[in-house]
Amino acid sequence: MKKDTHPDYHMITVEMTDGTTFQTRSTYGSEGDTLHLDIDPKTHPAWTGGSRKAAQGGQVERFNKRFGGLSLKSKK
């Protein structure tokens, strides 16, 4: 195996947006550094399911909303 091909993994502290911390191995920074997160799974709507817009309906609903007032008269 070649020498110096693997990254240097070391222990860092990760600080979440609410102030909680945990230890993990990473290639970020150097041993003992702290990574401060701006966005994390506890607060971001992509993970929490909040601030989601309701579905606007399918194509048929949109068509009926746009053209619902039109009527076709049969020619006899």
Side-chain angles (χ1 to χ4, degrees):
M1 185 177 353
K2 292 181 182 179
K3 290 186 174 222
D4 300 325
T5 59
H6 296 285
D8 175 35
Y9 284 100
H10 45 268
M11 293 301 289
I12 66 164
T13 302
V14 178
E15 184 177 346
M16 307 290 264
T17 57
D18 65 355
T20 59
T21 61
F22 64 92
Q23 295 279 323
T24 189
R25 290 179 44 132
S26 176
T27 59
Y28 172 81
S30 58
E31 181 79 27
D33 281 352
T34 300
L35 175 63
H36 301 277
L37 298 180
D38 294 331
I39 299 172
D40 66 29
K42 293 180 182 179
T43 59
H44 195 276
W47 290 286
T48 62
S51 301
R52 235 190 267 184
K53 290 184 179 180
Q56 298 295 321
Q59 289 183 357
V60 173
E61 287 82 9
R62 285 183 281 175
F63 178 86
N64 287 335
K65 183 178 177 182
R66 254 178 113 175
F67 303 108
L70 297 178
S71 62
L72 298 174
K73 297 179 183 178
S74 62
K75 296 179 182 179
K76 288 188 179 183

